[in-house]
Amino acid sequence: MSTTRSTGRRRASSPGDSGIPAMPGVDPRLSRTLQVRDHSGELRRWHLLDSGPLLAERGITPRGTLLAVHGNPTYSFLFRSLVRADIPWRLIAVDQLEMGWSERTGMKRRYQDRVTDLSLLTDALSLRGPVVTVGHDWGGLISAGWALDNRHDLAGMILTNTGVHQKLEEALPKALQLATAPWFRTPSTSLTDTFLRTTLALSKPALPKEVQDAYLAPYRTRARRQGIDQFVADIPAAADHPSRPTLERVADGIRELNVPTLFAWGPKDITFNDRFLRDLIERVPHADVHRFEKASHLVWEDADVAGMVADWLHTNFGTAEEPRTEAPVWRSVSSYAEPAPERHIGAPIVELAADPVHAHRAAVVELGGDDGEDRQISWSLLNRRVDDIAAGLLAHGVRPGDRVSLLITPGADLTGVLYACFRIGAVAVVADAGLGLPGLTRAVIGSHPDWFIGIKKALVGARALGWPGRRLSVEQLPTVDRVALGVETSIAELARSGSVMRELGAPLDAPWPDPEADAAILFTSGSTGPAKGAVLTHRQLGAMFTAVGDTLQLAPERGLVAGFATFALLGPALGAPTVVPDMDITRPGELTAPALAAAIAALGRPAVFTAPAALRNILDTADQLDDAGRAAMADAASFFSAGAPIPAHLLRDLRSLMPNARALTPYGMTECLAVAAIDLEGIEEAGEGSGVCVGRPVPRVEIAIAEMDELGRTTGAIIDAPGVSGEILVRGPHVRDRYLMLWRTTHTAMRFEGWHATGDVGHLDEEGRLWVEGRADHVLATAGGLLTPVQVEEAAESVPTVRRAGAAVVGPRGTQQVVVILETEEGYRPGKAGHPRPAEPSPAGGRAARCARPLRRRGGRGVHHPRTADGYPSQLEDRPCGPVALVRADPAGEKADAL
């Protein structure tokens, strides 16, 4: 046998010549084979996808190389999406030996063997930096090992659904426990293709048949599946496993790799779950992270990972012609804005507690407790309670920067715990119970909390659903319950111990947090997709409190009725007494007029906030008010609702219930709670227009419009001309810092330097007032031009018999026809929707036909062929409805086809 260390490279002339079938979505010219000596010194045949020749054909100088390494049981086909026009990088995606279309050698390969084999391959390819490694599943460990051994060429790392460490004291995920069981491993991995088919079945919706067949193709026989078996057998879960030393070396070593890093994750993975992502983030804290909420193990198939990689590579490295040697310096939107007066969060509680005038007045009012009695907590008591809890949390081990997930009923307990977290610098994770159990689960797991504090019901859910974090209860639980739920102690006990420590002369030893430190993660409502966690620093959160307080003119003498539970958290920071009406906080739209009246009566002349979905129900239940209730409603000093534009006619109807209240409709979002505001008088002064007028910017906020093209796509141009619709951009000192573990979402929202792109569409008028016209994603690209949904919906809702309206479209963008769904007053019923029936033509002059006039007058659109359908399951505001009218609005004003 020759001892020459020649690589003996040879390239296959075509995929067909090497017995490799065509792969869907893969240019045959990408496929090549190469013979290279492995760690044992034997020549082995590798198969890989190499985009270098295609880039050369197009005259593109690659910025660098993407070295992609698959895991088990996939192969290079997984990375086919990385060959695209906006990624000017050479892709080298390998099939590891014993896998894919590479050689079956019959050799048992350990973790270190595979790292060495990969290095020998890249040497044979004369691969030089800059190299960005891309690893998935066990390919992540192997690519990380290559990165450590080839630091001189390493420029960056991309890891997807992988893990670089498994603690000895931790059990493997249940899926891996089953896969590694001796009685199950070989029968499922090599005797049959069960392991492979199970992996493919994890994707929802199911992968196309041709894609599944492509993954199955290299593994059709038992002999070709031996590598799958070997990979599973090489999982180093035990201390004496031969691959354990390599695992420990790589896991420790990646802490030293200070290169741009991206983690892209499918959280529905039953193998590499968020526990492994948390470990990676702890080891590489500077990494950019994006969790694709609906994706599973094969995240490359379930989500547009390649599109995000294209953005990330360009952001960090530029192009070959205009290279970047380092990523741009991170700068938040709020840093571009006029700063707000600085004040520590919670400082008003301290100040009012020390003020003899206010110290013993109510700070928090709880209505209808377990004993049926109302409870009031004074500013003095609240201040002591916050300090006691803060001291107890610190003594128990909660540290600044720890994430604390809170699932506590709004009231004194939640207020005390929340502001104690703010006081010691712990990061409060707040997700509204209205998200429902699936939404809450996604939010809690996705926020990676260190601690979980909740009521007993929440703790039962946390235990059953495996929510992460060390658990604390609110009230002291019996020992049996505490053990069963995995609860360490209670807030009640921590508050007692904190109080004792302070009484013994040990003051709260905690400086006020740094203004740039994270303060809270506030989850959005989830109305436009999975709820997103908006991260705000102490400076940004303090500015948000200031903006809301200035807009609503809250003060200790004017409290806040919070008809939306999350808003109850603002009161103490604004120095305003707060009460939550007696209601189901998970269904804010079901707030009734009597419950609202009782809450108003508890505070005297407060400001009232409700969710937009509650407004109609308040009006519908107004006949249940008695004389005392009507008198209480009349005492309200102001009324406001935010989260969706409120039509003027609805505010007028509410004025009949609260005649002395200033009807205010602020515009904002979780990411920037107060953007603009207008009262009813201002709306009437603005008159009719395209969309809903939400007023002028609040202090220190700027608004701009990003222009859209004919298909409704936002361009790079920012315009200030009045009357031109586009995506609404905002800038203010209280704009969120970033989205939690959503790198691409943050990047997209900040694509205009110094601005937050809201995703809403609207325009500015000549008076500088903002008009909101709907969501940018919902813009209707018709043959007659762009049309925004609010234009159509508001016009339809102006018809007296129409309760609510929703605009949709049919057809391809650019030639779309508009369809309007009308929920009518006649026969409306809440509750479960009936079975929809085919629509029938509406009689001439019927309620659907009557929408034609306002649509033409306000939108310039013709309406034809109106039809009605009883029991149609409308999803407007997620509530079922009764009779619905379907009409088509023709943007060209010409006759449209019948629905």
Side-chain angles (χ1 to χ4, degrees), residues 832-844:
K832 186 177 181 180
H835 294 289
R837 296 195 295 270
E840 297 294 337
S842 178

Side-chain angles (χ1 to χ4, degrees), residues 5 200 249 371 460 620 771 797 806:
R5 300 296 293 177
L200 299 178
R249 176 181 73 86
D371 56 2
V460 171
D620 288 345
W771 294 73
E797 288 176 355

Side-chain angles (χ1 to χ4, degrees), residues 577-638:
T578 305
V579 60
V580 176
D582 186 8
M583 57 183 284
D584 181 353
I585 62 171
T586 68
R587 302 181 67 86
E590 296 182 359
L591 174 63
T592 64
L596 180 59
I600 293 172
L603 292 181
R605 289 184 51 78
V608 176
F609 174 85
T610 69
L615 303 182
R616 175 60 65 179
N617 201 56
I618 292 171
L619 291 170
D620 288 345
T621 56
D623 58 354
Q624 301 174 18
L625 290 168
D626 56 18
D627 291 341
R630 291 188 176 277
M633 297 283 277
D635 283 340
S638 60

